[in-house]
Each structure stands twice: as C-alpha cells, then as structure tokens.
C-alpha cells in the first residue's frame, strides 16, 4: 500500500497554508497561477488524488454518514446527532463524528480525512471561523467531486446543497411578541456578534417584532457578546457584562436571549441585583436544553427541535445517496451539478415555563 | 478497488449475529468449531482480512485517534473528548468519534469501521450492554492485531491495556464522609444498577464511608435506578421513584447521588415535598457538569475532571503509538503481548456549593 499524502503534508512541504493547498487543488481563483501550478504539480508527483472521493463513491458504499460539527460540548449539537443516529440506524447506516472546533483549517482537515474513503456523505454545520472568513471552497470542492452534503443550522447561500434550518427569524419574532403581549415595554436583547448567521437572524427577528408592534428599537438595549471566547470558562466576564447592561438600563422588563446559557446567566445576574423573575423581568431563551429545564425559575424558551433537525438531515442525505445509487455512473459521467436542492425549515415552538408571566 | 466485505454482511449472509462472526474470526472458544470454520472460510473467500489493522499500522500512519463513547448527550463524555482533542491537536493528531449508543453490536461495528484504515489507535469507554454481557473479545482482538487501546472511565480488568479511571470509590467515600461530618444521620444513596462499574464502585464507597464512621447501612436508604431507560425522556418516572423514596424514608437528611442528574432531580423532588436544601436535606452529586453549576441551589459535587482524563488518555495513547513507531517491525514480528500497561487514577475533588452546609 502506498503511503498517501495529505493536504497537511503538502502544505508543510511547500510552506503554504492548508487552505492555500486546498484552494489550489480545487482551482480557486484566489490563488495565483504560479502557486496553483506548483501545488498541483507537487500533489501529482506524490499521487494526491483530489477526485478519489468520486472514485470511492463509485466503487464502494461505506454505508457511513460523516457528521462534522463545530463543537461537542453543546447540547443542541448532541441532540441533532441523536436524531441523525436514529434515522441512520433505522435505514442501515452508521455515523462517525468529526469536530472542527470552530476552526476553518480543522474543518478542511476533517473533511479530507472523512471524505477519502470512510463515508458516503456529510451532514455538517459550519464553523464560526469559516463563517467569518466567508470561504466555502472546501464544501463546493467536495460536492463537485460527487459527495453529497446536507448542512444544518449554520448554513450559507454560497453553497448549493440540501439544508435543514430552524426558523430562527420567526422563532425570535414569536419570543419577542410574547414578551410584548405579556406587557413588557423595554425588551433587551442578548445576542452574539453578527457573523454567526443564527445570531444575526434572531437579532433581525427581535427588531421585526418590535417594529411590527410599534415599539421603537433602542441600541442601548442590545448586548452583543463576543462568543469567540469560551463562555463556559469565562462565566465571570459574561456575568460582569450583563451586570453592567442591567445597571445601565434600569428600565428593562423583558429579556430575549439567543441561547439558553445567556438566558440562564441573565436570570442569575438579575436576581443578584435584587430583581425578581418573572415579576420584574421576564426572560425567554432560545434552544431547549437541559439548562432551560432545570434552571430556577425554569426557562421559557424557543425550542429548536434539534433531534427533529437531525432526523430530517439524515433522511435528506440518505434519500440523495439512494438516488445516486439508482442513477449509477450517470451522475459522474455527466458531472453536472444537481440543482434540485431542498431547504427544509423546522418550525420553532415556544415552551412556556416559569420565567415568563 | 475491491469491494470490501464487512462483519455485518458476513453475518447477514450466514444468518448469524455480528458478534458470532466477530468471535469466530478471533477464534473465540465460545463459538462451535463448525461455525467457526464456516465463518472463517466465508471470510477468506470474500477476502475479509481480520488482520488488516496491523498491516495498515505498519504501512501508514493516519495520525488520527478514534474515540468510541457510549453516548453523546452527556456532558462528562463531551469534556473527556475536549481533553483528548486538546492534547491530540498539540501533538499533531486528529480525532474522530464513533458512538456505541450503549449497544454491544454497535460497538463492534464501529470498532471495525474505525480500525480498518482510518485510525492509529482507540480511546474508548465501554457500552453498558457490553458490560452486562461481559463479552470483551472485540477489544482483545483489536489489541492482538497490534492496534493500541486506551480505556477510560468504564474499564474492565479482563482487557489488558492502558486505562484512565477516576477514583470512583474514594470520591464516594469523600462525599459521604463530608455529609457525615456535616451532621447527617440518615444518608440516602441514589445510584444505578450494579453492572455499571462506576455505579458499583460509588456504592461501595458509600458503604465504606458509613462503616468506617460506625454508621449502620440501611438498605431502605439505597435507591437503585434502572438507567437502561433514557432518563432525559423519562424524567417523570425518575421523579416519581424519588418521591416515593423520600416519602418512605422521612428521616433522610443527606443524599449522595452517583450523577448530577439524579442529584438535581432529587433536590427538585425534595423541594416539592416542602423540604429545604441544605437545611433539611444536604445533597452531593458526582460529575461536575453544567447542571451542577447552574442548579438552584447550586450543587456540591465530586468533580471527575473529565477534561484531565481525556488529556491523560490522549498522552498515553500517543506515547504508545510513538513507542510502536520507534520499535518498527519488531513489535509485529515478535507478536508478543505487551504487559507494561499503565492504569492512571485521576483523583476526585469535592467542589462545595450551596447544597451542603
């Protein structure tokens, strides 16, 4: 068996970044012709096959789905995986999980590792760094080579594939409307920086709900957390930021937070400041995880139905794999890009608990 | 490329179970000679190579660690993975995660899938069903073929390999001793069935702490939960069982629970019965996850240091892989079983919060 060369090794040998190698091999315009030629020549010399994915697809079915998620210590992603597993097992597939750790380079390395022979297709959610860079060449290269991808939750329009998303925008609208209906006059938003699409969409939903109910938006009432820091280990920073936020906005009587950790932390900080929940401040979070259920008071949340997302994503991918099987070589001979992609929107639901009136 | 046959396909063709195939291929005495011959002949015919693991080890380094865990919606396992990743990244390795879903058969299938070419070695925690069956042939077969395994948390003496465990016994002793020192006279134990080793060891620690402090054990004060049911989705059953337990034992003034979900649920049930924590009942859990931190009152727990376990496991595995590299063919020529295995015990620590005085 010949020793196979990897993107990482090529990058090291030629003293360029892994993403440069990855882009050059997929003929990205971003890389100079000179560099592209050099990298492609080297890859050829060492027998690197950018298209061995398609070969492996033609020649064998691994009956394995590769899941690629940004992080593992995250209840939402866990429940999505549970949903994928449920359907995969039922339909005779195995699953294997890779982690990008929110890193662009690790996402590329993991995709390469999984794609070359181990799996039939991907179900994935994009890393924060990739979203920030807006560089999606590795997804498109994988699809071009004939390996199907289903994206969930963190998706982008720049990649054409099946997608399963939660209705973040309307989920946020529902949550904020509920606070307005419950009598809140000054509703604060605790959200992430805008480059994470879910944070952006939920922020837009917040603004939309205010506007359509003739409440003027006030930028002082919006707290954007830099979630590039590992919140679990920097709880104090988060608590301090929220403490300042509450002190600067003494009139806040409602909070919509874009995840449950922010919501539960906001409740804790508010209580420390002598505020009572839900009497002084009503709180609604997003994501229905263990924290929401077991918090005191228990948290009213917008449920994302993670397991259902996983189930739908698995069904979409397996449907497509079986369709490819049925078509056989046709798909690769024509090498035309499919364009019948499905975007499945999972409706959100408000789960009422004790943090709202 | 030849289509590779899998254990599952052999099992289906010959109408036997996957574990029968797996055992027959590793010459287990449990399988009749007749069946073993039939299976081995079939495997040979279809070119199934039980020893292609060793071949792949000799011929290439994937620089990837395979992690096999029982379930993913579990904060402890997530933190272990985080620890493994941290060290793996630092030492130039990638990780890939397989899930057994607490199933013996899935554990075998996943090990086969990962072992044949994708990874250099395993870090794993044994599934409940495997522990219940006490059937460890697949681990031993993998090790015999030259692929190193490091086990963590749920380990067994029947498999000789490097192990990282938490000091469950002494962790429990510490916790119960703390309750006794804090004045508790009737300490209840909420634990799992005995076949899960960690539950058994923590139960033994509870009994030891009582005995060495001259407190008589009372079987009425021990509640064993059947954790084969998916507790997350059967919270009511759990709450009912605990409600009965508290009602039948009105004198309970301390609870030691072997995981944080049991502990947090016990606090909730106790509060519903009008009991105050820590004034009427003091509670200590095991595992320091998000629930412990964010519960009200926050939970005093025995921390397992999951991340540290993961870091140690990764270092043990990578050390061994590098040693194998250095030895080269020697290892496979001699084919002697190594016996210099390390059992690393991670000390527990009590994290005091509001649920104890």
């Amino acid at each position: 068996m010949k020793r196979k060369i990897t993107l990482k090794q090529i990058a090291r040998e030629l003293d360029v970044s892994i993403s440069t190698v990855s882009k050059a091999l997929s003929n990205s315009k971003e890389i100079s012709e000179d560099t592209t030629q050099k990298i492609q020549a080297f890859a050829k010399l060492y027998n690197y096959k950018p298209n061995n994915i398609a070969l492996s697809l033609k020649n064998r079915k691994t009956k394995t789905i590769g899941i690629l998620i940004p992080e593992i210590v995250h209840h939402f992603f866990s429940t999505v995986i549970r949903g994928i597993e449920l359907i995969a097992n039922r339909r005779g597939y195995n699953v294997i999980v890779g982690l990008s750790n929110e890193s662009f380079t690790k996402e590329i390395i993991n995709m390469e590792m999984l794609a070359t022979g181990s799996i039939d297709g991907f179900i994935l959610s994009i890393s924060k760094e990739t979203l920030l860079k807006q560089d999606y060449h590795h997804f498109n290269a994988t699809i071009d080579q004939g390996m199907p991808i289903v994206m969930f939750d963190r998706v982008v329009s720049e990649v054409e594939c099946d997608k399963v998303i939660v209705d973040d925008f309307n989920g946020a609208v529902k949550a904020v409307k509920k606070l307005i209906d419950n009598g809140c006059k000054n509703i604060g938003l605790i959200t992430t920086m805008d480059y994470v699409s879910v944070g952006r969409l939920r922020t837009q939903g917040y603004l939309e709900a205010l506007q359509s109910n003739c409440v003027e938006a006030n930028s002082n009432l919006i707290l954007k957390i830099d979630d590039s820091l590992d919140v679990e280990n920097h709880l104090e920073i988060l608590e301090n930021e929220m403490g300042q936020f509450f002190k600067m906005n003494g009139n806040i009587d409602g909070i919509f937070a874009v995840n449950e950790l922010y919501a539960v932390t906001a409740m804790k900080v508010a209580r420390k400041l002598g505020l009572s929940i839900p009497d002084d401040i009503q709180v609604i979070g997003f994501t229905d995880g263990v924290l929401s259920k077991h918090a005191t008071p228990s948290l009213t949340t917008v449920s994302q139905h993670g397991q259902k997302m996983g189930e739908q994503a698995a069904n979409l991918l397996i449907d497509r794999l079986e369709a490819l099987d049925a078509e056989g070589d046709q798909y690769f001979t024509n090498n035309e890009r499919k364009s019948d992609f499905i975007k499945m929107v999972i409706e959100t639901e408000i789960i009422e608990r004790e943090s709202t009136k």
Side-chain angles (χ1 to χ4, degrees), chain A residues 61 217 264 318:
Chain A
K61 298 279 151 226
V264 167
I318 297 173

Side-chain angles (χ1 to χ4, degrees), chain A residues 194-303:
Chain A
D194 275 345
Y195 65 88
V196 176
S197 54
V198 298
R200 191 175 61 236
L201 286 167
R202 291 172 197 168
T203 301
Q204 285 168 0
Y206 162 85
L207 295 170
E208 164 64 26
L210 293 184
Q211 199 181 12
S212 67
N213 286 278
C214 306
V215 181
E216 210 169 318
N218 172 354
S219 63
N220 289 334
L221 290 176
I222 299 178
L223 175 62
K224 292 196 179 183
I225 308 282
D226 177 8
D227 66 345
S228 64
L229 62 84
D230 171 14
V231 177
E232 281 261 343
N233 291 322
H234 296 84
L235 214 54
E236 269 178 50
I237 298 174
L238 189 64
E239 286 177 15
N240 283 340
E241 274 196 70
M242 289 189 186
Q244 299 246 319
F245 180 65
F246 281 121
K247 282 176 202 156
M248 278 172 55
N249 297 284
N251 56 354
I252 286 185
D253 53 6
I255 287 283
F256 170 55
V258 301
N259 61 47
E260 65 171 5
L261 182 65
Y262 291 178
V264 167
T265 309
M267 293 204 295
K268 192 167 148 193
V269 170
R271 268 207 313 271
K272 275 192 193 157
L273 293 172
L275 298 162
S276 150
I277 295 159
D279 295 330
D280 299 325
I281 299 188
Q282 300 181 59
V283 180
I284 300 185
F286 213 111
T287 311
D288 188 37
V290 280
L291 275 183
S292 306
K293 221 178 289 177
H294 296 284
T296 309
S298 58
L299 182 69
T300 298
T301 57
V302 182
S303 168

Side-chain angles (χ1 to χ4, degrees), chain A residues 14-32:
Chain A
L14 301 179
D15 200 19
V16 293
S17 75
I18 290 173
S19 80
T20 300
V21 177
S22 176
K23 281 180 200 168
L25 291 177
S26 58
N27 291 309
S28 164
K29 297 264 185 302
E30 281 178 60
I31 308 298
S32 75

Side-chain angles (χ1 to χ4, degrees), chain A residues 17 64 124 156 257 321:
Chain A
S17 75
T64 301
L124 62 84
V156 289
L321 289 172

